[in-house]
Each structure stands twice: as C-alpha cells, then as structure tokens.
Amino acid sequence: MRLIMASVLMLAATGSALADPDVAKGETAFKKCMACHAIGPDAKVKVGPPLNGIVGAKWAHFEGYAYSADIKDGAAAGKVWDEATLDNYITNPKVLAPKGKMAFAGIKNEDERKDLIAFLAQFNADGSKK
C-alpha cells in the first residue's frame, strides 16, 4: 500500500512536467515579448524580427533584419530554432548569444516557456495560423 501511495504522490509531484503546453497561456506569456517582437499576418520588424514561423526556422532567417554576429554565426553553422533551442534561448538569451542584441532576462519558469513555444509554433512564416 505504501508503494502505491508513493507512486501516486510521485506522479502528482511531476504532473506539471507532464502537462501539455497551454497555447492560451503562451499568448499571455508573449506579452513579455511584444515590446520587441510581433507575430501574425501584419507582423513587422520592431526592435527584433517578427517571430512568424520561428519554430523550425533557421537562425537569422528573416531577411532584412540586422542580426547580431552570434546569431549570424549560428545561421552559418546551420542552426535551427527547434523547440529545445528556443527553450534554452528563452531561458537566458545570453547563453546562446552572449554578444546578441536581445536585452531580455529570460523566462525562468519551464511551463511558461513551453506554453510560449506552443503559442509561437502555431504560426506559419506568413503569419497565418496552422
């Protein structure tokens, strides 16, 4: 019986790690990004590039934006903004791009990052939703 209770408690404790991302919460988390980034059909360059189609895109993919050398180097190396890389970057942008332009402290909460990435993932490169 104790083994069963321990298993139930363990599952309850890890429940948030197993939870599916919440796109609505990701949209709320995106408000932290809106000062510098836009997303959607009418997205334009702000301080940072639009984030349409970012999940799965190559680094420095948005033509006409003046990326930092760190991001350009990543592009030359063939890096892609997959979910794991975005998660790492959003946690603390200076880890992947120490000399990058992004002046953002990052999002430390893992669930909030997953929600944000799920929100971003629903947009195609043209800003339409998948």
Side-chain angles (χ1 to χ4, degrees):
M1 186 65 161
R2 286 184 183 180
L3 182 58
I4 292 171
M5 287 302 291
S7 296
V8 169
L9 289 173
M10 182 99 128
L11 282 173
T14 60
S16 68
L18 300 174
D20 289 333
D22 185 324
V23 173
K25 287 181 180 178
E27 184 173 8
T28 299
F30 185 72
K31 290 178 182 177
K32 294 179 180 180
C33 312
M34 289 176 63
C36 298
H37 296 282
I39 199 161
D42 298 322
K44 306 263 188 275
V45 171
K46 291 177 142 184
V47 173
L51 297 179
N52 292 331
I54 191 70
V55 179
K58 293 178 181 179
W59 285 29
H61 72 285
F62 188 80
E63 290 188 34
Y65 181 76
Y67 289 96
S68 67
D70 289 344
I71 299 298
K72 289 179 188 175
D73 291 346
K79 291 186 178 183
V80 173
W81 290 115
D82 58 26
E83 289 183 18
T85 304
L86 278 168
D87 184 63
N88 191 12
Y89 190 68
I90 294 167
T91 301
N92 181 355
K94 296 300 180 187
V95 169
L96 290 182
K99 297 177 184 173
K101 295 179 184 181
M102 193 149 136
F104 181 65
I107 297 174
K108 305 306 178 212
N109 182 284
E110 180 180 0
D111 288 336
E112 186 177 4
R113 290 191 315 271
K114 289 181 187 291
D115 295 341
L116 175 58
I117 292 167
F119 171 73
L120 295 173
Q122 67 180 339
F123 290 90
N124 293 310
D126 66 359
S128 64
K129 287 191 176 179
K130 295 179 180 176

